[in-house]
Amino acid sequence: MAEESETTGIDNSNDKDLAANVENLSLANQKVEKQEAKKIDIVLHATGSAPILKQKKWSVDQEKPISAIVKFIHKYLKLDPEERLFLYINQTFAPSPDQIIKNLYECYGTNGKLILHYAKTQAWG
Amino acid sequence: MANDREILREIWEGKIPVHFKLSADETDVEPEEYFLLIPRLSYFPLVTDKVRKHFLRFVSNELQDGEMWMDSNGIPLKWHFPIGVLYDLLVGTDGTLPWHVTVHFSKFPDDILIRCPNKEIVEAHFMSSLKEADVLKHRGQVVSAMQKKDHNQLWLGLVNDKFDQFWAVNRRLMEPIPDQDGFKHIPVRCYAEDGTYQQKLVAPSTASGQKRLLQDLLDDFSTPVRKAGKS
């Protein structure tokens, strides 16, 4: 028996392949199909005093802007309306609220995922 | 780098004459229009204090605290895009000057624009863009090695329109780091006419070491439809 490499999230391997091929697909096929919402896996990590999410990995529509993710976490964590939330890429910079997940994944995605850190105060201002 | 200096300065000094007028539904009087020559590389909130002050004299008391926003031909202007990008997107090369911009103090279009209550928001946005660019160019090593005062100098250089002050620091962001031939990736954003934008990883050369051309970049960003339309 070949050695069994236990990988987490193995059930997502198809999604990963799909995500990796998103670009090829959209270039190769001139179909309306590509307008369909493709999903990208994002992983959300808490930073500083921000509460941890029970579920860290989410599959989101690649056209979704960062502002929608912020709104989602804000709601999920039941933060007060006046509490702010900041999202960071590479623990370095905060993408603009209108930046879409697809662009970020294209540039900063690793192993089929886009990793985002969230904080309640400016963490890497 | 030194050879580019004149070009850098020319780009820095690019300015657009703008004709501001107050939206007709915000005032009973006929306010004087306002004209300003503004830098392409700056952002609207950094150059429109005078515009705000000028028009506030003509609007009613209840609008005095309203956040100022602007539109060009009915399209709200995104303050977080550089002024030159907005002009090129909305007016283009065959537009007549000055650029006509309408000023508002009410009915802020929250679904389209990000609020900009103060200049700190602009600073945070600008610094974040610089950091992102450095992540692509040098894995973020140059910007993170800088001191707070260097960051301030970049920001103040932009705010006060001081080319030398800005470039004294920005030079470091635009050079390769010692163990690197050139930039790892080139930070590029491709804006569409509807104001959305695409970003991709753009390496300066191919895997076989060949330098990539501007045409390669354009091909990367072209949609199949546009490619088809071109041929």
Side-chain angles (χ1 to χ4, degrees):
Chain A
M1 206 61 188
E3 65 176 279
E4 232 173 322
S5 60
E6 193 93 45
T7 48
T8 51
I10 200 151
D11 50 316
N12 283 319
S13 56
N14 281 341
D15 287 346
K16 279 184 195 166
D17 290 344
L18 190 67
N21 282 324
V22 160
E23 196 39 45
N24 301 337
L25 276 176
S26 64
L27 283 175
N29 301 340
Q30 297 190 20
K31 291 179 191 160
V32 197
E33 241 176 77
K34 88 180 179 70
Q35 302 294 343
E36 266 175 43
K38 297 246 165 56
K39 301 275 187 175
I40 287 174
D41 285 340
I42 63 168
V43 183
L44 302 168
H45 291 296
T47 290
S49 63
I52 290 165
L53 289 168
K54 233 183 258 163
Q55 182 183 341
K56 290 186 169 59
K57 195 169 167 185
W58 299 85
S59 193
V60 298
D61 174 356
Q62 61 170 3
E63 302 293 332
K64 276 261 183 312
I66 278 295
S67 59
I69 311 295
V70 170
K71 212 179 274 177
F72 167 77
I73 303 173
H74 203 279
K75 209 168 144 190
Y76 195 88
L77 292 177
K78 299 191 176 69
L79 299 181
D80 292 333
E82 70 275 7
E83 281 183 287
R84 299 186 62 193
L85 196 77
F86 301 87
L87 271 188
Y88 293 90
I89 297 279
N90 281 16
Q91 303 188 40
T92 309
F93 68 92
S96 168
D98 64 351
Q99 177 67 286
I100 58 168
I101 294 300
K102 178 175 189 257
N103 284 339
L104 294 172
Y105 177 76
E106 291 264 345
C107 295
Y108 314 108
T110 44
N111 303 325
K113 301 186 292 273
L114 177 69
I115 295 166
L116 291 157
H117 285 78
Y118 61 92
K120 283 170 67 179
T121 52
Q122 276 191 308
W124 296 278
Chain B
M1 202 65 208
N3 302 338
D4 284 350
R5 198 170 170 84
E6 259 176 70
I7 297 166
L8 294 174
R9 190 176 268 283
E10 283 290 320
I11 293 171
W12 179 275
E13 288 175 352
K15 290 192 167 63
I16 303 170
V18 184
H19 166 209
F20 294 95
K21 87 183 197 314
L22 187 61
S23 170
D25 58 358
E26 310 220 352
T27 178
D28 302 328
V29 292
E30 188 68 42
E32 284 168 43
E33 295 151 332
Y34 200 85
F35 292 83
L36 211 55
L37 198 56
I38 55 177
R40 289 183 73 99
L41 295 185
S42 192
Y43 297 94
F44 269 110
L46 302 184
V47 295
T48 49
D49 282 346
K50 285 177 182 167
V51 177
R52 180 182 169 83
K53 208 184 245 178
H54 172 80
F55 287 120
L56 271 181
R57 292 186 287 143
F58 303 100
V59 301
S60 59
N61 283 338
E62 66 262 30
L63 293 185
Q64 293 291 318
D65 296 325
E67 184 172 332
M68 183 172 77
W69 62 279
M70 291 170 263
D71 81 74
S72 165
N73 230 340
I75 299 172
L77 297 178
K78 295 180 177 174
W79 63 261
H80 63 296
F81 286 11
I83 290 164
V85 170
L86 288 169
Y87 177 79
D88 294 341
L89 275 176
L90 300 172
V91 183
T93 46
D94 47 20
T96 49
L97 293 170
W99 182 13
H100 299 284
V101 166
T102 307
V103 174
H104 305 259
F105 291 93
S106 65
K107 301 184 195 120
F108 191 92
D110 278 296
D111 50 333
I112 303 170
L113 300 183
I114 305 166
R115 293 231 172 225
C116 183
N118 53 52
K119 292 202 177 81
E120 282 74 44
I121 306 277
V122 188
E123 181 177 2
H125 169 72
F126 172 72
M127 290 314 301
S128 221
S129 302
L130 274 189
K131 284 178 188 173
E132 175 169 13
D134 197 55
V135 166
L136 292 166
K137 290 182 286 190
H138 312 109
R139 301 177 201 269
Q141 287 169 19
V142 178
V143 78
S144 61
M146 281 180 175
Q147 297 178 3
K148 180 71 184 154
K149 71 173 173 57
D150 298 322
H151 289 181
N152 285 342
Q153 188 171 335
L154 285 165
W155 169 243
L156 292 173
L158 177 78
V159 171
N160 299 321
D161 198 12
K162 300 278 188 237
F163 175 86
D164 292 323
Q165 190 182 354
F166 180 85
W167 272 98
V169 179
N170 195 50
R171 197 172 40 81
R172 284 151 58 191
L173 292 166
M174 296 304 285
E175 285 169 346
I177 50 177
D179 57 339
Q180 215 174 273
D181 282 342
F183 289 160
K184 190 162 166 41
H185 296 101
I186 301 172
V188 181
R189 212 170 252 185
C190 178
Y191 290 86
E193 277 168 349
D194 63 0
T196 59
Y197 50 88
Q198 282 187 76
Q199 250 175 265
K200 290 175 198 285
L201 273 189
V202 177
S205 38
T206 63
S208 57
Q210 200 158 19
K211 285 216 166 25
R212 298 185 77 232
L213 306 174
L214 184 58
Q215 186 60 53
D216 299 325
L217 179 76
L218 294 174
D219 289 344
D220 281 355
F221 280 105
S222 296
T223 63
V225 179
R226 276 191 206 151
K227 266 186 191 164
K230 216 171 59 178
S231 58

